[in-house]
Amino acid sequence: MHSDKSSWLIKGLALAGICFLYFPILIILIYAFNTEESAFSFPPKGFTVEWFFKAAERDDIFQAIGFSLQIAAISTLIALLLGSLAALALYRNNFPGKNVFTLILILPIALPGIVTGLSLLSTFKSAGITPGMATITIGHATFCVVIVYNNVVARLRRISFNIVEASYDLGATALQTFWHVILPNLGASLFAGGLLAFALSFDELIVTIFTAGHEPTLPLWLLNQLSRPRDVPITNVVALLVMLLTMLPVLLSYWLTKDR
Amino acid sequence: MSVIFENVKRHFGDVKAVDDVSITVKEGEFFSMLGPSGSGKTTCLRLMAGFEQPTSGTIYINGEDATWLPPFKRNVNTVFQDYALFPHMTIEDNVGYGLMVKGVRRKDRAIRVKDALKLVDLAHVANRRPNQLSGGQQQRVALARALVNQPKVLLLDEPLGALDLKLREQMQGELKALQKQLGITFVFVTHDQGEALSMSDRIAVFNQGRIEQVSTPETLYESPKTRFVADFMGTANIIDNTLLPDLIDGPQVFALRPEKIRLNSDQGDMTLQGQVSEIFYQGAVTKIEIRLPNHRTVLVQPPYAFDRSSLGGQPVSISWDRADMVRLEEPAT
C-alpha cells in the first residue's frame, strides 16, 4: 500500500485541475439561468428560463449557427478529400522535394492564425474576390486538410502495405483495392479526422475575422455580442447550447471507438 | 516453362539487388530460391509477382512476356511472409477476395471458398477474423486465399519463417504434399538450406544478387560448384594449398564434407595427423574439430555410433578419399 497522504494529495490536485478547467463553463451555465439581466452579479438573483425563449426568437442566432454549420461541413468535405489523397500520395512514394511538399502541406496548422488570415485577406483582395462564405471556407480548409492528413497518415503507417500488394496480387485493380482494402481500414481515422476538422472549423475565429464578409459565423456573432452588455444572458444561452451540441460528436466518437 | 528470367537486373540506385539473373522454372516443379538475406531472392520473387519492374531484362510467365504486366494481370499468386491477410474481413471473405474482384458470382464463390478452406483443413474457422487465428492457421488461410484463384504459379515468400520449428516441419510436409496433389508450379523463397533441401525439386542458390548454382538438392550438396554454395549448403571444409601445401598444388580449391572424413583410420588415400581441439555435440550428429600441425582446423563428422568419450586433446589421424573432394570453380585468392 502506498501512503494515503500522497494519494489524497494527488486526488486533491487532480480535483483542483478539473475545477480550474471547468469553472468558467460552470459560470456560463449558472448565468444562463440568472434573472439578473445586465452583468455578472454574485450571487445570482433567481432562476429563470426566459433567456432560452428570447434566444429562440432571434433569427440572427440561427442564421449564424446555420452559416457556421455549412462552412464546417463544406471545409470538412474538402479536407476529407484532399487530406486523404495527400496522405495516400505521400506516405509511401519517394520523390524529389517530398519533404518540402509535406512541410508546405502541414504548415497552416503551425502558422499563427493571424498570419494565415492576413495573407488570405490580401490574396482575396488582390484577386478581387468578395469576402463571404467561400473565402471563409477556403480559409478553414487550409488547416482542416492538415488534420485529416495527419490522422490518415498515422493510420496508413500502421497498416501493413503488404495487404495492398496482396490485393493487387489477387487480381484487384487500384480502384478495387482502394474501395475494398484501403478505405475500410481508414474508416475510423477518416471519421476521427473529419470530426476534429469539423469542430475546429465550427469554432474558428481568427482566420474567420480576416476572411468574413458581412455575414457572421457563430464565433463572430458571439464576439460581437460582447459589445452589447444587455444581451449577456442570451449570449450565455447560445454558448451553452453550442457547448452541448459540440459535445455530442465527441461523445459519439468516444462511444464508437472505445471497444477497439 | 512456367517462369523464365532472361538477364534480369533490378538496381535500386547503386545497389544491385538483382544482377543479371537468368532462371527457367519448369512447369509443375517445386523451385526454391535460397540465399542469405539481401542476396536478391525476395526481389526476384517480387519481380515474378509484378511488384517490382526490372531495370533491364525480360520476364516470361507461361510463355507470355510479363515484364511490364501489373500484378493483377498475372496468373500468379503470392503467399506473403507476414501472410498479409485483410484484417477487416472474415476468413471466408479473405479467401474469396480474388474471386470477388474478378466478378465470380456469390454462389460459385461460396463453393470454391469452401473447397479451398477444406484443402487446408480450416473449414471450421470461415467466419472468424484473421486476428482470432494462430500463426499456423493464418499461414494456411494465406495459402487457401492464393490457391482458390487456381494460379499457374504459386509464389511463396519465406512462408514458414514466422512459425516455430515443430510447426514449420509439419507445414513443410503439407506444402510439399499439396504441391504434388495440385501439380502447380511452386516458387519458394527461403534462407533455410535444410528447408530447401527437403522440399525442392530444384534450388537456385543466390549470393549478392547473382545465382551461384541451380541444381537438384543432391547435386548442390554433393557437387557444389563454388565455395559459397559448398559453405551455404551445410558444412564444408575448404581445402586448398594454404591448408595442405604438400598435397594440393597451385590454384585448385576443393570442398570436403565433414562426414566424408574418417577418424583414426588409414583406409583413405589422403591421411593427416592432428589433435582434437573441440567437440560440438548436436544431438543427432557430433562434429569434431581437428587442429593440424600448421594450426589450421578441419571439421570431421563421424558416424553416430562413434565413441567420443576418449577423444579430448588426443592425437588422431584422419583420412579420406581423394574422390570425395569436390573441385570448386573459383581460383584460390
Side-chain angles (χ1 to χ4, degrees):
Chain A
M1 270 285 188
H2 208 66
S3 123
D4 278 354
K5 229 183 217 169
S6 71
S7 135
W8 279 112
L9 186 69
I10 287 169
K11 279 181 186 163
L13 282 174
L15 199 68
I18 287 173
C19 285
F20 175 74
L21 287 175
Y22 285 93
F23 183 71
I25 293 175
L26 193 71
I27 294 283
I28 299 267
L29 178 74
I30 292 169
Y31 283 91
F33 295 99
N34 190 14
T35 46
E36 186 72 16
E37 195 167 298
S38 55
F40 291 105
S41 55
F42 194 83
K45 292 272 155 54
F47 179 85
T48 177
V49 290
E50 67 159 307
W51 305 118
F52 285 79
F53 292 105
K54 287 229 163 118
E57 286 163 11
R58 297 264 305 254
D59 282 345
D60 56 335
I61 296 176
F62 291 100
Q63 270 165 16
I65 291 179
F67 194 55
S68 274
L69 284 176
Q70 277 179 49
I71 287 169
I74 297 171
S75 47
T76 302
L77 274 179
I78 294 173
L80 283 175
L81 193 70
L82 295 185
S84 53
L85 286 179
L88 285 167
L90 287 174
Y91 94 108
R92 220 179 110 83
N93 296 330
N94 273 315
F95 52 86
K98 176 184 169 178
N99 287 337
V100 177
F101 190 79
T102 311
L103 186 70
I104 289 173
L105 187 77
I106 295 182
L107 210 54
I109 204 98
L111 279 178
I114 257 179
V115 175
T116 310
L118 202 60
S119 39
L120 280 170
L121 176 66
S122 34
T123 308
F124 290 142
K125 272 209 166 148
S126 60
I129 300 170
T130 329
M133 185 161 141
T135 53
I136 303 176
T137 309
I138 290 170
H140 288 189
T142 57
F143 52 83
C144 287
V145 168
V146 186
I147 300 290
V148 173
Y149 167 82
N150 277 340
N151 264 281
V152 173
V153 152
R155 176 72 194 142
L156 283 174
R157 291 211 177 105
R158 272 181 289 139
I159 300 176
S160 152
F161 185 73
N162 277 351
I163 65 171
V164 175
E165 286 191 340
S167 172
Y168 290 143
D169 186 73
L170 292 165
T173 59
L175 210 61
Q176 284 174 318
T177 300
F178 180 76
W179 186 252
H180 294 298
V181 173
I182 297 175
L183 204 59
N185 278 296
L186 290 186
S189 68
L190 282 177
F191 186 75
L195 215 61
L196 249 170
F198 189 92
L200 271 183
S201 162
F202 191 68
D203 76 349
E204 212 291 330
L205 184 59
I206 298 170
V207 174
T208 315
I209 289 177
F210 286 94
T211 49
H214 56 88
E215 202 175 354
T217 64
L218 188 65
L220 272 181
W221 183 89
L222 283 167
L223 187 69
N224 291 339
Q225 280 302 106
L226 294 183
S227 56
R228 297 178 192 156
R230 297 188 61 81
D231 271 356
V232 162
I234 292 179
T235 313
N236 284 342
V237 164
V238 174
L240 191 65
L241 288 177
V242 169
M243 219 160 59
L244 291 176
L245 271 175
T246 46
M247 259 170 69
L248 277 180
V250 174
L251 289 176
L252 186 71
S253 74
Y254 170 77
W255 180 72
L256 279 175
T257 53
K258 73 176 172 183
D259 279 335
R260 288 172 203 174
Chain B
M1 296 300 134
S2 272
V3 182
I4 298 174
F5 272 35
E6 268 179 15
N7 306 102
V8 169
K9 294 182 184 176
R10 177 68 175 105
H11 297 177
F12 299 98
D14 291 340
V15 183
K16 298 175 176 176
V18 174
D19 193 17
D20 201 7
V21 163
S22 296
I23 314 174
T24 303
V25 182
K26 296 174 196 154
E27 208 152 327
E29 90 174 320
F30 197 118
F31 187 86
S32 288
M33 301 199 282
L34 173 70
S37 53
S39 60
K41 56 191 193 304
T42 297
T43 308
C44 273
L45 196 83
R46 292 175 59 79
L47 284 162
M48 291 181 192
F51 302 139
E52 303 277 352
Q53 272 71 46
T55 311
S56 68
T58 315
I59 298 170
Y60 297 94
I61 296 174
N62 301 316
E64 185 192 0
D65 184 348
T67 315
W68 299 99
L69 226 51
F72 55 87
K73 287 192 180 157
R74 298 185 182 207
N75 197 1
V76 302
N77 285 114
T78 309
V79 176
F80 291 83
Q81 189 170 11
D82 66 354
Y83 318 137
L85 300 178
F86 305 124
H88 59 290
M89 293 183 198
T90 61
I91 299 309
E92 210 173 6
D93 291 345
N94 262 283
V95 175
Y97 184 81
L99 301 176
M100 192 259 292
V101 295
K102 280 179 217 117
V104 176
R105 271 200 246 128
R106 187 177 294 269
K107 227 177 172 181
D108 304 334
R109 214 157 76 204
I111 296 166
R112 284 170 69 178
V113 167
K114 212 172 179 183
D115 287 347
L117 281 173
K118 261 189 206 153
L119 192 68
V120 294
D121 254 342
L122 280 178
H124 58 288
V125 299
N127 293 317
R128 289 198 213 157
R129 303 229 170 209
N131 62 8
Q132 295 171 303
L133 301 190
S134 69
Q137 286 174 319
Q138 290 184 28
Q139 221 285 305
R140 286 159 199 253
V141 174
L143 202 59
R145 186 178 66 174
L147 288 173
V148 78
N149 304 289
Q150 300 173 328
K152 287 268 172 59
V153 184
L154 186 70
L155 309 173
L156 302 107
D157 183 11
E158 306 213 18
L160 309 179
L163 305 179
D164 58 63
L165 186 63
K166 263 274 168 287
L167 195 56
R168 192 156 71 214
E169 283 173 352
Q170 184 196 333
M171 283 301 294
Q172 285 173 9
E174 286 181 24
L175 267 182
K176 182 73 191 157
L178 204 61
Q179 191 261 340
K180 271 192 182 151
Q181 181 193 337
L182 300 171
I184 297 175
T185 311
F186 274 35
V187 179
F188 187 89
V189 162
T190 181
H191 63 258
D192 181 335
Q193 45 98 8
E195 198 166 276
L197 282 177
S198 71
M199 297 172 77
S200 320
D201 295 323
R202 285 193 310 145
I203 302 171
V205 182
F206 279 75
N207 182 31
Q208 297 182 343
R210 289 169 167 275
I211 290 183
E212 296 263 335
Q213 189 173 356
V214 187
S215 212
T216 61
E218 293 81 4
T219 313
L220 278 181
Y221 190 80
E222 302 290 343
S223 326
K225 268 192 192 161
T226 65
R227 183 187 291 234
F228 180 83
V229 175
D231 213 38
F232 198 74
M233 309 298 293
T235 318
N237 292 298
I238 302 296
I239 295 178
D240 57 14
N241 77 337
T242 65
L243 183 75
L244 303 174
D246 306 337
L247 297 173
I248 312 289
D249 49 275
Q252 298 182 77
V253 185
F254 297 89
L256 179 64
R257 295 291 179 196
E259 64 268 25
K260 303 284 191 191
I261 305 177
R262 289 179 285 265
L263 265 184
N264 289 332
S265 152
D266 51 6
Q267 281 170 8
D269 45 26
M270 312 276 278
T271 305
L272 288 175
Q273 303 296 319
Q275 250 186 352
V276 173
S277 55
E278 205 76 65
I279 298 177
F280 303 104
Y281 176 68
Q282 295 169 343
V285 298
T286 301
K287 288 187 179 124
I288 294 159
E289 190 185 77
I290 311 287
R291 189 174 295 275
L292 303 178
N294 63 2
H295 297 291
R296 301 284 295 269
T297 58
V298 172
L299 268 182
V300 179
Q301 184 186 316
Y304 180 69
F306 191 79
D307 175 22
R308 62 197 161 84
S309 57
S310 61
L311 272 180
Q314 295 298 307
V316 287
S317 70
I318 54 173
S319 77
W320 66 90
D321 294 331
R322 192 163 192 130
D324 285 333
M325 300 201 309
V326 179
R327 173 90 187 263
L328 302 177
E329 266 176 7
E330 63 189 314
T333 44

